[in-house]
Amino acid sequence: MNLVVNGQDYHDIPEGISVKGLLAHLELPEKKIAVERNLEIVSKSTFETTLLSEGDRLEIIHFIGGG
Amino acid sequence: MPFQDKLVVAGRVFESRLIIGTGKYETYQENADALVASGADMVTVAVRRVNLTNPNEPMLVDFIDPKDYTYLPNTAGCFTGEDAVRTLRLAREAGGWDLVKLEVLSDPKHLYPDMEETMRAAKLLIDDGFEVMVYCTDDPVFARKLEDMGCAAIMPLGAPIGSGLGIQNPLNIQFIVEQTSVPVIVDAGVGTASDAALAMELGCDGVLMNTAIAAAHDPVCMAVAMKHAVIAGREAFLAGRMERKQYAVPSSPLAKDGLIG
């Protein structure tokens, strides 16, 4: 299925993948990031149970240096 | 006594009155070294998209452990209240903190805070359970309004962000200090140690700086200087400076007649 992650199109994502699954697919460290799905925050405790749908828009963020 | 004098923001106690930023360093390692040298226990951090093309690139948390230091997520780069709220909700999820730095900017040339949007965003954040440390102009009227709204700290600029010009309007900073019950922290504009000392001598509760340390030729050495400056300024404030006088007053008794009178 198709997803938009951080503004980039992804076309080869398995149907019904969870947020946890997507993070593993992208090789991102779960503990250090936060996820927003269609402008709603996905709590870390629900990464495993939140299943993604066609066309979902995700933002995956982390902390960087800043003033 | 000065050595028992701690910074308290929203019920949290901090050993240091110096808060440092984590931007503009050559490397995260240099940043971590400067942080240790500064003695600060709170750092500002920004929130951005992860780099999907290189998921293994070094992350800030690998160098500055959020268990050892209080991360103060900021909203730098946000130009509307909604952007700021969205950013800090994500930051809270990433790190679990509700103590945040609100910064809603306007014109990139001077990076002055947009106070109308700042006020609106502060209200949204406070209603959402955040403890808001708010970057603001050095206008005592806005400072009062932000305090009345429930902000956890008032953080007026000393000079434009990254300018290093020092405190441009000490009178306004003093007005804000006098009228404010929550901590007042000068945020932005510090260029060197004497600027930080002046902020503290004016009675501020703390100083927040990034570029002054990060852009020094030797950031670690400047971090040490800033640590001393903040302590010196605070202790001078607590000591109560002498009265300013128009003319000289001799330190040794003046002799009446001849050398030993």
Side-chain angles (χ1 to χ4, degrees):
Chain A
M1 64 180 175
N2 301 301
L3 298 175
V4 180
V5 184
N6 289 358
Q8 292 176 33
D9 291 318
Y10 282 78
H11 302 293
D12 54 346
I13 306 294
E15 292 289 330
I17 195 172
S18 67
V19 171
K20 189 182 172 74
L22 178 71
L23 293 175
H25 182 80
L26 297 171
E27 297 174 43
L28 290 172
E30 253 179 68
K31 282 186 182 164
K32 300 177 189 173
I33 53 97
V35 179
E36 191 189 69
R37 177 200 190 195
N38 302 329
L39 300 179
E40 295 282 328
I41 285 176
V42 182
S43 152
K44 277 186 196 191
S45 58
T46 63
F47 277 0
E48 202 157 1
T49 52
T50 302
L51 304 182
L52 299 175
S53 310
E54 170 70 28
D56 276 353
R57 301 182 72 86
L58 294 127
E59 290 290 338
I60 305 175
I61 61 89
H62 69 145
F63 289 121
I64 64 158
Chain B
M1 296 296 286
F3 44 82
Q4 292 168 331
D5 172 58
K6 308 253 168 85
L7 172 64
V8 182
V9 184
R12 293 172 172 79
V13 180
F14 299 95
E15 297 295 322
S16 174
R17 291 178 177 274
L18 174 59
I19 303 168
I20 75 168
T22 56
K24 303 184 190 167
Y25 286 89
E26 293 280 326
T27 61
Y28 280 144
Q29 186 58 55
E30 181 181 72
N31 193 165
D33 294 343
L35 174 56
V36 171
S38 75
D41 37 19
M42 177 158 37
V43 290
T44 57
V45 296
V47 176
R48 291 289 181 278
R49 285 171 166 173
V50 296
N51 181 358
L52 295 170
T53 54
N54 183 9
N56 297 316
E57 79 178 355
M59 288 189 177
L60 181 66
V61 293
D62 299 326
F63 293 84
I64 297 173
D65 193 333
K67 290 192 200 76
D68 299 334
Y69 296 93
T70 298
Y71 268 37
L72 183 66
N74 71 18
T75 58
C78 294
F79 288 83
T80 68
E82 278 71 22
D83 281 353
V85 171
R86 186 179 169 206
T87 300
L88 291 179
R89 281 183 181 155
L90 276 164
R92 179 163 61 183
E93 189 56 31
W97 298 278
D98 56 11
L99 188 64
V100 294
K101 171 180 163 181
L102 174 62
E103 168 176 329
V104 186
L105 303 176
S106 55
D107 187 333
K109 189 171 174 185
H110 50 62
L111 294 177
Y112 256 57
D114 179 334
M115 292 309 295
E116 206 176 354
E117 282 298 314
T118 298
M119 298 277 294
R120 213 164 59 77
K123 172 100 178 52
L124 292 170
L125 288 165
I126 291 166
D127 289 348
D128 204 25
F130 286 100
E131 300 281 1
V132 179
M133 299 174 71
V134 59
Y135 170 64
C136 55
T137 53
D138 58 4
D139 176 343
V141 180
F142 272 122
R144 167 62 57 78
K145 288 182 180 178
L146 289 164
E147 184 185 9
D148 289 346
M149 194 187 280
C151 288
I154 304 298
M155 305 207 291
L157 54 83
I161 293 172
S163 70
L165 290 171
I167 296 175
Q168 295 296 297
N169 197 337
L171 187 64
N172 275 21
I173 300 292
Q174 210 158 10
F175 282 152
I176 293 171
V177 166
E178 278 175 21
Q179 72 178 25
T180 308
S181 308
V182 295
V184 175
I185 296 167
V186 163
D187 179 1
V190 166
T192 189
S194 53
D195 300 331
L198 174 60
M200 299 309 293
E201 287 171 12
L202 291 170
C204 291
D205 298 277
V207 182
L208 196 166
M209 65 183 72
N210 191 146
T211 317
I213 296 175
H217 290 294
D218 184 339
V220 174
C221 193
M222 185 58 91
V224 175
M226 291 301 184
K227 171 185 174 173
H228 292 309
V230 167
I231 293 170
R234 178 64 181 174
E235 295 194 348
F237 170 73
L238 292 176
R241 62 155 295 144
M242 63 167 280
E243 193 185 329
R244 286 182 171 85
K245 294 174 183 134
Q246 184 80 13
Y247 297 105
V249 180
S251 297
S252 304
L254 287 184
K256 284 183 191 136
D257 302 302
L259 187 61
I260 50 176

